[in-house]
């Protein structure tokens, strides 16, 4: 399988060529040259597979530059009951006849980003060892992404993580989650500023190409193809749990921000998984709902981007959206480049006509809706009263919009993207009671913290990376023999070295 750019560059690249990269050189996003088709016999063969084996089968269709035995081992290491809490990994919870939650948030950080990030950690470590290379991951976070990345990369050989967060602005639970990590390869940097200051520092460091090359700076942001591919698997896993035979269809409702999660659903559907509708749910930041209703893609400014009680969906533009538009426009790279490279940059967006937008629903199955703070409170309350199930604010957005699009005879699977304990304040506002903390995380907030406070200063952050690299060089000189891959102790995520 080769990969091409949504903006037209089709020089052949394999999976491992793009694994450690962000954008394609022409500014586009990577996609496979085609979506492998899954026939009835294949679906039947996959139906009974454990999650890790299903992941291996699906990944194998897109990855031909990792030996199958190694890829299988990586999948088996990643998707374990020890890390994800149940043998099904993403079990369905029945709410009603034909209405389910699919639990994606039982990983180490209690949000669905673990589903992909845990695999990415193992893939990165494997590929870096193969190349004899190392990587310094630099990122900015306001919550979910940073903690998922740190829990995926902790204790991994050849990888250091430098994660910038706005000091004092993450939820207490999220701060405790990140700052309590004692692993030597995890570096928490609390910046005295807001999220945009953190983001600006990451951009400035990444734009210093000499520094970037010298210190092997990389990222784990949501445009990474491997993350998206890992997410394709749970659409199949959900389908198999909700159906008895391959003649049945199901719909998925997806709380959406950067369009990564639902884009994986689009890939699964394009492979032939019998998905009826992909129901896209936004919060008040409704740039994507607006597109699916009107064909207008209008990027919001910072002032227009609202802080909501489902904060992981507070986006101004959707970084993975270009992938879907490329498919929608018949994979026309020149046109995609004009829309995203030129129009979005110069005019802040673009508008497609009725004929261009129509296939989004008719051919690709997309419908959409939005949900507000009042909707979230009402949905959380109703789900608790009627079903005895506590849901988080993002899942509530998904469920609210799902109910607007239910069809008789088609099971609706709402993707549960986080656990309520992460957003306890809104749960209390809705229910007058606190969500339960999973046993594994009790006492988290009392653990010692490890982080460095820093002014919003690019050079200060560069010095932290340089100091770490200098220390590593000294240690390497003192201890020249590298540890062979097979002899190294592997830590299950969540139980790394302290
Ligand atoms: C990241 C996130 C989302 C949005 O997912 P996208 O892939 O960006 O669309 C929704 N809910 C939660 C809890 C998240 O962390």
């Amino acid at each position: 399988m080769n990969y091409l750019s949504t903006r037209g560059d089709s020089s052949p690249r394999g999976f491992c060529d793009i694994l450690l990269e962000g954008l394609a050189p022409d500014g586009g996003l990577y996609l496979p040259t085609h979506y492998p088709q899954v026939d009835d016999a294949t679906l039947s063969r996959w139906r009974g597979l454990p999650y890790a084996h299903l992941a291996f089968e699906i990944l194998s269709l897109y990855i031909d530059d990792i030996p199958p035995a190694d890829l299988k081992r990586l999948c088996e290491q990643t998707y374990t009951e020890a890390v994800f809490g149940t043998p099904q990994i993403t079990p369905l919870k029945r709410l009603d006849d034909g209405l389910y939650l699919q639990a994606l948030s039982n990983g180490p950080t209690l949000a669905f980003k673990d589903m992909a990030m845990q695999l990415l950690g193992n893939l990165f470590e494997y590929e870096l060892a193969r190349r004899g290379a190392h990587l310094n991951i630099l990122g900015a976070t306001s919550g979910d992404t940073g903690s998922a990345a740190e829990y995926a990369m902790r204790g991994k050989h050849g990888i250091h993580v430098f994660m910038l967060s706005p000091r004092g602005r993450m939820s207490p639970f999220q701060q405790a989650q990140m700052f309590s990590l004692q692993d030597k390869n995890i570096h928490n940097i609390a910046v005295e500023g807001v999220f945009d200051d953190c983001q600006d520092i990451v951009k400035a460091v990444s734009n210093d190409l000499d520094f970037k090359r010298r210190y092997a700076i990389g990222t784990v942001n949501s445009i990474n193809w491997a993350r998206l591919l890992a997410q394709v698997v749970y659409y199949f896993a959900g389908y198999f749990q909700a159906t008895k035979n391959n003649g049945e269809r199901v719909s998925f409702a997806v709380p959406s921000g950067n369009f990564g999660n639902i884009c994986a659903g689009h890939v699964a559907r394009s492979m032939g998984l019998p998905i009826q509708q992909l129901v896209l749910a936004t919060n008040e930041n409704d740039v994507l709902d607006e597109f699916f209703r009107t064909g207008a893609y209008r990027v919001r400014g910072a002032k227009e981007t609202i802080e909501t009680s489902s904060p992981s969906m507070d986006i101004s533009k959707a970084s993975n959206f270009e992938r879907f538009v490329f498919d929608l426009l018949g994979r026309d790279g020149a046109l995609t480049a004009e829309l995203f490279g030129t129009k979005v940059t110069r005019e802040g967006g673009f508008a497609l006509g009725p004929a261009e937008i129509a296939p989004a629903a008719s051919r690709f199955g997309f419908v959409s809706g939005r949900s507000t703070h009042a909707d979230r409170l009402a949905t959380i309350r109703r789900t608790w009263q009627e079903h005895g199930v506590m849901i988080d604010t993002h899942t509530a957005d998904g469920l609210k919009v799902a109910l607007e699009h239910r069809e008789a005879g088609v099971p609706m699977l709402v993707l549960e993207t986080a656990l309520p304990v992460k957003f306890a304040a809104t749960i209390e506002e809705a229910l007058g009671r606190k969500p339960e903390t999973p046993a594994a995380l009790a006492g988290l907030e009392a653990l010692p913290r490890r982080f460095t406070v820093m002014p919003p200063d690019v050079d200060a952050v560069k010095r932290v990376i340089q100091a770490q690299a200098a220390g590593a060089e000294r240690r390497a000189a003192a201890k020249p023999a590298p540890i062979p891959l097979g002899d190294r102790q592997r830590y299950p995520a969540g139980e790394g070295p302290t």
Side-chain angles (χ1 to χ4, degrees):
M1 175 63 80
N2 279 330
Y3 291 84
L4 45 71
S5 162
T6 51
R7 298 195 187 169
D9 179 349
S10 58
S11 21
R13 295 178 179 88
F15 177 82
C16 290
D17 297 326
I18 65 163
L19 173 63
L20 302 168
E21 282 188 46
L23 294 174
D26 63 1
L29 306 183
Y30 288 116
L31 274 178
T33 51
H34 63 283
Y35 298 118
Q37 294 302 300
V38 173
D39 60 15
D40 188 61
T42 309
L43 282 177
S44 296
R45 192 161 56 79
W46 287 359
R47 195 170 263 285
L49 292 182
Y51 193 95
H53 292 187
L54 178 63
F56 168 67
E57 293 288 338
I58 294 170
L59 265 55
S60 297
L61 301 174
Y62 292 91
I63 304 175
D64 51 20
D65 46 6
I66 295 178
D70 290 355
L71 186 59
K72 192 160 193 201
R73 179 171 48 78
L74 292 169
C75 291
E76 285 170 349
Q77 262 170 22
T78 303
Y79 296 110
T80 65
E81 184 174 352
V83 174
F84 289 98
T86 64
Q88 302 94 319
I89 309 297
T90 62
L92 296 192
K93 268 186 253 182
R94 180 184 171 280
L95 292 183
D96 218 334
D97 280 345
L99 182 66
Y100 303 91
L101 297 178
Q102 186 175 359
L104 306 182
S105 33
N106 295 316
T109 74
L110 313 185
F112 88 99
K113 292 191 172 65
D114 290 329
M115 292 302 307
M117 208 70 94
Q118 288 288 319
L119 180 72
L120 203 67
N122 286 327
L123 283 171
F124 273 25
E125 186 182 49
Y126 173 85
E127 182 59 18
L128 288 167
R130 241 184 4 172
R131 296 183 189 186
H134 62 100
L135 188 67
N136 288 312
I137 293 170
L138 176 65
T141 187
S142 52
D144 284 347
T145 305
S147 56
E150 291 190 351
Y151 278 76
M153 304 297 167
R154 63 185 300 199
K156 292 277 187 283
H157 233 73
I159 301 174
H160 280 262
V161 177
F162 300 85
M163 193 56 68
L164 277 48
S165 60
R167 187 183 186 192
R169 285 174 191 258
M170 286 189 299
S171 80
F173 188 85
Q174 287 172 326
Q175 289 183 44
Q177 246 183 354
M178 285 177 56
F179 296 175
S180 62
L181 286 177
Q182 301 297 320
D183 308 76
K184 294 208 168 57
N185 72 327
I186 302 296
H187 311 268
N188 285 304
I189 301 176
V191 174
E192 304 202 85
V194 295
F195 174 69
D196 286 337
D197 296 319
C198 301
Q199 187 97 301
D200 288 346
I201 294 172
V202 171
K203 279 190 198 143
V205 174
S206 304
N207 287 339
D208 180 343
L209 295 182
D210 285 339
F211 187 90
K212 189 176 171 193
R213 207 169 305 120
R214 167 120 174 66
Y215 293 100
I217 304 292
T219 58
V220 288
N221 49 25
S222 76
I223 57 165
N224 183 290
W225 165 255
R227 272 181 72 177
L228 212 130
L229 179 57
Q231 295 173 4
V232 172
V233 178
Y234 53 71
Y235 285 88
F236 282 82
Y239 174 78
F240 291 135
Q241 290 177 77
T243 60
K244 292 215 163 51
N245 66 67
N246 307 336
E248 296 175 61
R249 300 176 78 77
V250 307
S251 293
F252 286 92
V254 189
S256 292
N258 276 318
F259 204 81
N261 199 352
I262 202 163
C263 194
H266 161 66
V267 173
R269 196 177 184 279
S270 301
M271 292 169 71
L273 186 67
I275 297 175
Q276 178 84 3
Q277 299 179 102
L278 288 165
V279 182
L280 180 142
T282 72
N283 63 17
E284 291 90 330
N285 296 293
D286 57 359
V287 40
L288 288 171
D289 178 41
E290 182 174 296
F291 173 81
F292 284 102
R293 278 185 297 102
T294 69
Y297 180 62
R298 193 170 54 83
V299 169
R300 314 289 203 253
K303 281 210 193 73
E304 253 189 301
T305 308
I306 305 160
E307 262 186 58
T308 74
S309 48
S310 45
S312 299
M313 294 158 63
D314 292 349
I315 51 113
S316 52
K317 57 174 194 266
S319 45
N320 275 293
F321 187 51
E322 181 170 336
R323 289 193 160 109
F324 173 69
V325 173
F326 178 67
D327 283 347
L328 179 66
L329 300 174
R331 298 205 138 197
D332 184 334
L335 184 50
T336 309
E338 187 196 323
L339 295 182
F340 284 90
T342 310
K343 289 212 167 175
V344 167
T345 315
R346 295 214 187 119
E347 298 161 27
F350 57 81
L352 301 185
E356 291 167 301
I357 183 75
S362 61
R363 176 150 174 251
F364 295 101
F366 274 85
V367 293
S368 73
R370 81 197 278 276
S371 162
T372 64
H373 182 68
D375 293 324
R376 283 189 277 288
L377 294 181
T379 306
I380 291 168
R381 211 173 284 136
R382 186 150 28 84
T383 309
W384 178 245
Q385 285 162 357
E386 290 179 11
H387 309 295
V389 174
M390 205 182 272
I391 56 172
D392 101 290
T393 50
H394 306 76
T395 309
D397 288 331
L399 178 54
K400 186 261 179 186
V401 178
L403 294 174
E404 296 166 354
H405 292 282
R406 265 178 102 179
E407 293 169 309
V410 182
M412 175 70 78
L413 278 62
V414 180
L415 300 187
E416 178 189 63
T417 55
L419 291 193
V421 68
K422 292 199 93 168
F423 305 96
T426 309
I427 304 300
E428 256 198 288
E429 186 182 347
L431 303 179
R433 59 183 289 163
K434 284 192 172 58
E436 269 175 36
T437 304
L441 294 167
L444 186 70
E445 293 180 37
L447 290 177
R449 312 246 165 140
R450 206 170 138 265
F451 64 100
T452 314
V453 179
M454 222 168 262
D457 175 1
V458 176
D459 289 327
V461 171
K462 282 183 174 172
R463 281 195 295 273
V464 174
I465 297 170
Q466 283 166 326
Q468 189 290 123
E473 271 170 30
R474 270 197 307 278
R475 283 190 297 279
K479 228 193 322 174
I483 308 166
L485 182 65
D487 297 351
R488 215 178 329 123
Q489 180 174 5
R490 292 184 174 277
Y491 299 95
E495 300 170 25
T498 50

